[in-house]
Amino acid sequence: MNKPSLFRVWIQAARLRTLPLSVAGILTGNALALDRAGFSWIVFSGTLLTAVCFQILSNFANDYGDGIKGTDNDDRIGPKRVLQQNLLSPSALFRGIVLTAIIGLLLSAVTIGTAFGIDQLIPSAIFLLLALAAIWAAYRYTAGNRAYGYRALGDLFVLLFFGLLAVLGSYFLQTKTLSLTSLWFALAVGGLSVGVLNLNNMRDMENDTAVGKKTIAAILGLVKAKRYHAFVLFLSMLALA
């Protein structure tokens, strides 16, 4: 089989089919603010592009972290990663992580500046810190010696960033306020995102356990992980209702 082109390799590493999950919270937060005065399509576009960029960053970092740790091996059931297949070197993938992080931070800065202008320094600084936190979370999910994805904290961080920050953050950028309705939607979107992660973790639980990667699914075992999954989805539907 011929080796794919470098462009196709990077597209594979970006995992484009995961991007709808990253924009779900952004679409929800902006939809809730759509009828408010002063709604900005530029801010909407900026938050959407930033979320996509951070998701690609997370996918690169996940490939990198699991690859160099040996978690992505022949026993893993899911799709093969680029580092696992030696389609990219670790140094090349790391450079891709750095470049994507810089682009994401620039997109964040432009979006935040558009939303708040130059006269609202405190909220601008807070959102820039949140952008830096998102970059840190994307990288440290599986990369580094104390990656939180290996310590059963992935579900919590997905709830925080894919749910609360995505929905509430994008809503606040448009309206400069928060609402109880936006909170319920944030919990619903975040819970559904946790459900997606738990499905992946249930698929990989045997290999994760063998290599020492602790996820909630691996800790609970398959039967209890299914119950946990049903509970998370029930709470998501309850919040949505």
Side-chain angles (χ1 to χ4, degrees):
M1 178 180 285
N2 294 328
K3 185 177 180 179
S5 66
L6 189 59
F7 176 76
R8 289 181 64 86
V9 169
W10 281 106
I11 291 296
Q12 181 181 341
R15 295 185 228 164
L16 300 185
R17 58 184 166 184
T18 67
L19 299 186
L21 187 66
S22 67
V23 303
I26 304 299
L27 292 175
T28 302
N30 280 276
L32 292 170
L34 188 59
D35 62 346
R36 301 290 290 270
F39 181 89
S40 171
W41 288 100
I42 296 177
V43 171
F44 166 67
S45 301
T47 52
L48 202 63
L49 290 173
T50 300
V52 168
C53 190
F54 284 164
Q55 179 64 60
I56 293 174
L57 167 63
S58 178
N59 292 340
F60 287 170
N62 188 211
D63 199 314
Y64 176 79
D66 280 341
I68 62 176
K69 286 182 170 68
T71 305
D72 290 340
N73 52 45
D74 292 337
D75 295 327
R76 183 175 175 273
I77 298 175
K80 291 186 180 299
R81 308 277 174 77
V82 298
L83 202 59
Q84 179 186 3
Q85 301 176 78
N86 295 315
L87 297 176
L88 288 174
S89 66
S91 59
L93 191 52
F94 184 78
R95 288 194 295 272
I97 292 170
V98 173
L99 178 60
T100 310
I102 293 172
I103 294 173
L105 188 59
L106 290 175
L107 285 170
S108 300
V110 171
T111 304
I112 293 166
T114 303
F116 295 113
I118 61 174
D119 57 337
Q120 300 186 59
L121 295 180
I122 292 179
S124 295
I126 292 173
F127 270 84
L128 279 174
L129 288 175
L130 289 173
L132 289 171
I135 292 173
W136 176 89
Y139 180 75
R140 290 303 298 269
Y141 174 52
T142 60
N145 293 329
R146 298 178 63 83
Y148 64 84
Y150 281 69
R151 303 167 67 192
L153 293 173
D155 298 52
L156 175 61
F157 276 79
V158 164
L159 176 64
L160 291 176
F161 284 93
F162 283 76
L164 296 179
L165 181 58
V167 178
L168 297 181
S170 56
Y171 181 79
F172 190 88
L173 284 172
Q174 292 285 7
T175 66
K176 312 304 183 291
T177 61
L178 294 175
S179 69
L180 185 59
T181 299
S182 63
L183 175 60
W184 289 124
F185 272 101
L187 292 173
V189 172
L192 293 173
S193 301
V194 170
V196 172
L197 177 63
N198 189 60
L199 280 175
N200 291 336
N201 288 339
M202 284 194 291
R203 177 197 65 195
D204 297 328
M205 59 187 300
E206 290 186 8
N207 185 60
D208 288 344
T209 300
V211 299
K213 182 178 181 180
K214 294 181 179 178
T215 64
I216 289 182
I219 292 172
L220 292 177
L222 184 59
V223 174
K224 291 183 179 179
K226 289 181 178 179
R227 294 172 183 167
Y228 166 72
H229 191 78
F231 180 68
V232 168
L233 295 185
F234 169 75
L235 290 183
S236 300
M237 293 300 101
L238 186 62
L240 188 60

